[in-house]
Amino acid sequence: MPRLAHNVFFTLTDKSPAKVEELVAACKKYLNVQPGIVFFAAGPLVPDLARPVNDRDWDVGLHLVFVDKAAHDAYQDDPTHNQFIAAMKANWSKVRVFDSYV
């Protein structure tokens, strides 16, 4: 059974370093506690990688790999995931989600 990679790229309204770090810290607090996660990482855009092929229209990246689709689906409904959204969404101008089997 393939694992499911869930990559989320957040573009912030307030792009200050403090707000970027606040979102990264919230990802670490709320989004790596659900069952079925085999990989978790969250962090800011790398500022010095600006090749023409680099998409730079985001501020914080969230990267999760789940053991399977069922674990991903359960994560979407998990109370901590919903707490994260409620706490952080006011500063999101755009959120892009890329899911793939890996």
Side-chain angles (χ1 to χ4, degrees):
M1 178 176 300
R3 297 186 187 252
L4 191 147
H6 179 67
N7 295 288
V8 184
F9 295 90
F10 300 92
T11 304
L12 304 182
T13 303
D14 178 347
K15 301 171 178 290
S16 68
K19 288 296 188 180
V20 168
E21 182 51 39
E22 179 182 46
L23 181 56
V24 171
C27 288
K28 292 176 181 178
K29 177 180 178 179
Y30 293 109
L31 303 180
N32 68 349
V33 297
Q34 294 79 11
I37 295 172
V38 296
F39 177 81
F40 167 88
L45 174 83
V46 178
D48 57 336
L49 290 179
R51 299 175 304 144
V53 296
N54 285 90
D55 183 335
R56 302 181 50 77
D57 186 25
W58 57 278
D59 301 295
V60 172
L62 169 67
H63 313 281
L64 294 161
V65 176
F66 293 94
V67 67
D68 57 20
K69 184 179 178 300
H72 165 271
D73 293 350
Y75 159 88
Q76 293 297 328
D77 293 326
D78 191 277
T80 54
H81 180 254
N82 294 328
Q83 287 176 309
F84 167 79
I85 293 169
M88 294 288 109
K89 72 178 179 178
N91 193 34
W92 300 342
S93 66
K94 181 168 56 171
V95 177
R96 293 181 294 158
V97 178
F98 300 89
D99 293 322
S100 60
Y101 285 118
V102 294

